[in-house]
Amino acid sequence: MRVLGIDPGITRCGLGVVDVDPSRRASMVFVGVARSSTELAQHFRLAKIADAIDHVISLYEPEVVAIEQVFAQDNLRSVSTTMQVMGVALAAAGRAGLPMAIHTPSEVKSAVTGNGNADKAQVQHMVARILGLDKPPKPADAADSLAIAICHAWRGTGLLGARGDSTVAVSQSGKLSARGSLTPAQQMWAEAQAAQRRTGAVDPRRRRS
Amino acid sequence: MRVLGIDPGITRCGLGVVDVDPSRRASMVFVGVARSSTELAQHFRLAKIADAIDHVISLYEPEVVAIEQVFAQDNLRSVSTTMQVMGVALAAAGRAGLPMAIHTPSEVKSAVTGNGNADKAQVQHMVARILGLDKPPKPADAADSLAIAICHAWRGTGLLGARGDSTVAVSQSGKLSARGSLTPAQQMWAEAQAAQRRTGAVDPRRRRS
């Protein structure tokens, strides 16, 4: 399973692609950080992030996109901006016809370190170990995007479905509200769209064989 | 001046295009509502809205895009979703190289009715009168998008610029915080991008003349 993990942010948006085989072995395909300068107006910044996400989807053809939950109880202004980035990321996955999952930060930390309260250094260390990298990916946004991808491949939960599923959770005493799964029809549609997209993008030489 | 007004929403997103001449006379070019079903997962819904905005920009070639401010003190879940739609709309304008402006609901109501607290019926009525329409555009989201476009053409404020401009305002006792303008360099870049876009889309027959 190939997963694109996204750590949403307007200044730095982590983008990591991971392959995970049925025995849960994970390998890194790509990692990068989409950046946008504060010299640009907000809509040009979001456009840059959108372009970067489209580019990574087009180049690495993930089967599913996973993103980290944004919490609404944090600083209102930065949350609003991050929520806009999340909208851009969701729309990018939707336009590519891919299923999309949301994971909370504590799910991500717990999946890769075994501790839902792990700090950034622990996450970076474990991501490097899981992926067999010489050193931890930097900056933290890059490592986080890989952690989100690994988390999704290992847990397999959090897929967005129809009706009533929310892409925001309000955390109260550790209880989290965002969950969902694709309905069978949704799943079929998503798979058909993804297949069509892959077919459209396939190397012509491969078609002859 | 041709303005695309956007009333952001995930279920109904109003999209209205208005031409306003130097004497402030306004005429309607297009009005419509992008809809997305609750049968779809959130990211597919956002993708539909993104497609609709791109389509309207491509067909009607506005010179500027104006959107209504989303307030962060409302219901958290619906605000989060609307903020995601706003992100999608901002990215669409940014990708098209267009300048983008944000107006508060009271600015919009005040511009078209003279009353910042006007109700939906008053806004619909005045939009129809200003644009010389036989009857008010419906649903309200459609009329609102036209009102936002008229508001921007008449006020000319609210353009997003670099550094520190916010696309969210927190309303407290009627005080609003979102403002900004393009720096000269931003403006030049936006104009150059828009010109390039228009040239690329121009009817080949026109090039010959």
Side-chain angles (χ1 to χ4, degrees), chain B residues 7-65:
Chain B
D7 184 32
I10 186 91
T11 304
R12 288 184 306 278
C13 181
L15 300 169
V17 181
V18 169
D19 276 344
V20 180
D21 71 17
S23 69
R24 295 166 66 93
R25 257 183 312 226
S27 57
M28 186 175 82
V29 176
F30 167 83
V31 70
V33 173
R35 295 170 193 272
S36 79
S37 162
T38 55
E39 296 288 336
L40 296 177
Q42 181 82 352
H43 63 307
F44 293 126
R45 301 185 77 184
L46 288 163
K48 286 196 74 169
I49 304 292
D51 285 345
I53 296 171
D54 279 357
H55 194 60
V56 170
I57 290 177
S58 159
L59 276 178
Y60 299 102
E61 302 188 343
E63 290 153 70
V64 56
V65 180

Side-chain angles (χ1 to χ4, degrees), chain B residues 44-119:
Chain B
F44 293 126
R45 301 185 77 184
L46 288 163
K48 286 196 74 169
I49 304 292
D51 285 345
I53 296 171
D54 279 357
H55 194 60
V56 170
I57 290 177
S58 159
L59 276 178
Y60 299 102
E61 302 188 343
E63 290 153 70
V64 56
V65 180
I67 194 165
E68 194 164 274
Q69 185 65 275
V70 177
F71 287 97
Q73 88 281 23
D74 299 337
N75 172 284
L76 269 178
R77 179 160 159 177
S78 71
V79 162
S80 300
T81 297
T82 312
M83 202 61 81
Q84 290 173 1
V85 174
M86 199 171 174
V88 163
L90 287 158
R95 286 175 135 179
L98 298 173
M100 175 115 204
I102 298 184
H103 297 279
T104 64
S106 68
E107 281 171 353
V108 174
K109 288 172 184 171
S110 175
V112 298
T113 71
N115 170 12
N117 295 312
D119 62 24

Side-chain angles (χ1 to χ4, degrees), chain A residues 77-98:
Chain A
R77 180 161 158 177
S78 71
V79 162
S80 299
T81 297
T82 312
M83 202 60 82
Q84 289 172 2
V85 175
M86 198 171 174
V88 163
L90 286 159
R95 286 174 134 178
L98 297 173

Side-chain angles (χ1 to χ4, degrees), chain A residues 179-198:
Chain A
R179 281 295 169 280
S181 60
L182 294 179
T183 64
Q186 284 273 324
Q187 186 67 44
M188 277 179 64
W189 188 50
E191 281 167 7
Q193 289 239 32
Q196 190 182 32
R197 196 181 54 81
R198 280 196 299 271

Side-chain angles (χ1 to χ4, degrees), chain A residues 39-50:
Chain A
E39 297 287 336
L40 295 178
Q42 181 82 352
H43 63 307
F44 293 125
R45 302 184 76 182
L46 288 163
K48 286 196 73 169
I49 304 291

